[in-house]
Amino acid sequence: MRIKALTKRILRQIVRDKRTLGMLIFAPIIVLTMLHLVFNGESYIPKVGLVDIPDSLSANMDFSDAEVTTYDNARDAEVDLATQKIDGYITIADGNPSIYLEGSDPTVNGETLRWIQSTFANLQESHQQKLDITYLHGSTDMGQFDFFGPVLLGFFVFFFVFIIAGVSFIRERTTGTLERLLSTPLRKWEIVTGYVLGFGIVTMIQSTIIAAYTIYVLDMMMEGSFFYLLVIILALSFTALTLGILISSFANNELQMIQFIPIIVVPQVFFSGLFNLETISDWLSWIGPVTPLYYAAEALRDVMVRGYGWNEIYMEIFVLLGFSILFMILNILALRKYRKI
Amino acid sequence: MDNICVRVKDVTKQFGKHVVLKNINLDIMEGEIFGLLGPSGAGKTTLVKELSGLDIATSGENTVLGQKMPELKTINRIGYMAQSDALYKDLSANENLQFFSSLYGLKGKKQKERIQVVMELVDLTNHLNKLVSDYSGGMKRRLSLAIALLHEPELLILDEPTVGIDPVLRKRIWNAFYQLNKKGTTIIVTTHVMDEAEKCDRLGLMRDGSLIAVGTPDELKQSTNSSSIEEAFLVYGGEVNED
């Protein structure tokens, strides 16, 4: 009854605050759309120069994925390379091919090298049998966005729930309403539960919309069931919510709450699988397993990319719920500052 | 009238090394309007917070309505109005009242009835559906009072209820207090306004965390040969000035 009253009040406040409601839903949609466009854009076409390549060789080359210029001598190629008209050139000296790269952009370097290597490899292996490649998960169509997507989806839900729950709890403290609540027979765990339910309902709606948008509009890879996706996101948002409220106990105003973003939220992105975790230096690698996003990202990838079901994700869900319960208990303890019973 | 409503026994409160309340002893009777008078920083708010269950004494004991505080069931019988208006500004007055009354377990018809009654008492019936952010300072103060009255508390604890309110409105709020008091509600009011103190049945004068005198306004004036509470306060206050 008292929890219901609190939940109802929180929902009323959120619905009334149209701007925050808009931010909860449209901000992640806009950012995910932009990322989709960035990652799934056209692939780079390298501009390559060929210096003194015998016609017998160049006739068999596949020029379709690159802009190729032929030069008679290396000096002309050198000049064009310096003015960035070409990204690199190949020359054959004493029977050995050498490659020169402009070199200032790693992405361009990579694409240029890849083209050159695959072109020369094709020349040599044209008579051999083609390799037959089978994917256990994913496919040739899988882009970077499909790989990053699940992590980003989790991150945005986490980020916005963390901020909004934290700030609204700070407001409750600074306006004196928290003290007022505690002068009623409301129990401390009832306050925390009311908050979790109120914001839980909002995040449920928010994440359904965002997930549906990324999957059905942005066409993100989705092999598993939408239901499991929602279960993971809900578990993650409980964690974000309880952590946000807990962290807000250490902030005196909204600005100080914002200051926790680079400390609490942003590092989680680095350790959640957006970047390969095995290459992280050893003295930092322990951070991943203590961040909630790490587990959510893993579970989301299991469902969205690998098409797994409950048996593969339940551990991650339990860890997330464990985090939430831990944060809730700490919240109740933190509230003792305001009332001892 | 002779039953003890609140008993403060040897209460001391310390925040770290800072002593906020020094060995307070005080009995407040059922059905009286008791005023705690003193300058800001005297410890009035700390004392009433302890009585309303929000804080606990470092040593000593607070007994309210026969129960040692803090205790949740007793909190249910107390109405508390804080110094700042603790209202949800993005909600309407009615929504604020609905929310707080649900916390006290009021629902349905009973809830509606109580909201009507308390809003009439503070003369805000016409502004029931207005957003609190559109309320003036005085209206917010009265709405806070209305919320404290929702669950028909036996003891009403009001922390500076009329601070920043004009004399006309102050008189109106005091009329509401008298009405409640007539029905048997015990009221504890903190104030630093001297003329307001005259309206209380009995007064406790506080200074630097000590209760320096207790009595009816007349008693306090007579025993110090003063013509006003203000003078009386200065006489009592002078004695403890050296610490």
Side-chain angles (χ1 to χ4, degrees), chain A residues 1-2 5-6 9 12-13 16 172 175-177 179-187 338-341, chain B residues 49 53-54 56 70-72 75-76 80 86-88 90-91 95 98-100 102-104 106 147-148:
Chain A
M1 160 94 189
R2 289 188 289 250
L6 190 56
R9 191 212 85 211
R12 259 182 181 159
Q13 284 180 300
R16 198 140 303 169
E172 189 103 64
T175 58
T177 49
E179 190 186 271
R180 188 69 188 76
L181 286 184
L182 289 169
S183 72
T184 74
L186 193 62
R187 288 174 169 83
Y338 299 92
R339 188 177 74 191
K340 298 293 182 272
I341 53 162
Chain B
K49 267 192 186 171
L54 283 167
I56 50 169
E71 204 262 333
L72 275 180
I75 286 179
N76 213 359
Y80 172 69
L87 301 164
Y88 298 100
D90 39 1
L91 298 180
E95 286 163 342
Q98 280 174 356
F99 170 61
F100 281 106
S102 314
L103 294 186
Y104 286 107
L106 296 170
I147 289 171

Side-chain angles (χ1 to χ4, degrees), chain B residues 55-70:
Chain B
D55 213 337
I56 50 169
T58 312
S59 66
E61 212 173 88
N62 291 299
T63 313
V64 176
L65 300 163
Q67 277 291 336
K68 187 175 179 283
M69 289 302 278

Side-chain angles (χ1 to χ4, degrees), chain A residues 53-63 118-124 126-127:
Chain A
I53 304 283
D55 285 347
S56 57
L57 213 56
S58 59
N60 289 326
M61 281 183 171
D62 176 14
F63 290 163
S118 71
T119 309
F120 278 84
N122 279 345
L123 285 178
Q124 286 156 8
S126 51
H127 339 280

Side-chain angles (χ1 to χ4, degrees), chain A residues 47-51 67-71 80 85-86:
Chain A
K47 296 185 273 291
V48 184
L50 299 179
V51 180
E67 251 175 62
V68 177
T69 322
T70 26
Y71 295 94
D80 278 2
K85 282 194 185 116
I86 53 172

Side-chain angles (χ1 to χ4, degrees), chain A residues 194-205 207 234 237-238 241:
Chain A
Y195 256 80
V196 168
L197 286 181
F199 279 95
I201 292 170
V202 175
T203 39
M204 194 74 237
I205 298 168
S207 38
L234 193 68
S237 58
F238 278 165
L241 178 65

Side-chain angles (χ1 to χ4, degrees), chain B residues 62-217:
Chain B
N62 291 299
T63 313
V64 176
L65 300 163
Q67 277 291 336
K68 187 175 179 283
M69 289 302 278
E71 204 262 333
L72 275 180
K73 278 210 184 86
T74 314
I75 286 179
N76 213 359
R77 296 160 69 191
I78 302 172
Y80 172 69
M81 176 179 166
Q83 214 165 45
S84 63
D85 294 308
L87 301 164
Y88 298 100
K89 295 185 183 65
D90 39 1
L91 298 180
S92 72
N94 196 27
E95 286 163 342
N96 270 282
L97 289 157
Q98 280 174 356
F99 170 61
F100 281 106
S101 55
S102 314
L103 294 186
Y104 286 107
L106 296 170
K107 51 187 165 185
K109 215 176 128 202
K110 175 78 181 161
Q111 186 188 61
K112 247 188 188 161
E113 237 174 65
R114 284 302 300 162
I115 290 177
Q116 202 62 37
V117 170
V118 295
M119 286 301 263
E120 253 164 49
L121 193 73
V122 297
D123 204 11
L124 283 175
T125 316
N126 293 334
H127 307 283
L128 187 62
N129 291 314
K130 232 188 216 178
L131 285 184
V132 174
S133 51
D134 296 333
Y135 266 37
S136 70
M139 286 161 84
K140 282 183 202 157
R141 218 61 206 122
R142 281 184 285 160
L143 180 59
S144 296
L145 177 62
I147 289 171
L149 301 174
L150 276 168
H151 59 297
E152 301 177 81
E154 296 157 60
L155 169 64
L156 197 54
I157 298 175
L158 309 161
D159 197 0
E160 309 247 359
T162 59
V163 72
I165 283 188
D166 65 84
V168 181
L169 198 55
R170 187 183 298 167
K171 200 170 171 213
R172 219 191 272 168
I173 289 182
W174 270 91
N175 283 337
F177 293 166
Y178 288 135
Q179 273 185 55
L180 289 164
N181 187 240
K182 222 182 268 171
K183 287 185 200 149
T185 312
T186 312
I187 301 177
I188 301 174
V189 185
T190 74
T191 180
H192 59 251
V193 185
M194 300 293 169
D195 69 323
E196 202 164 77
E198 302 261 11
K199 297 182 174 124
C200 301
D201 295 331
R202 281 199 311 148
L203 281 176
L205 307 189
M206 287 189 77
R207 196 190 171 104
D208 295 329
S210 300
L211 192 64
I212 49 180
V214 180
T216 65

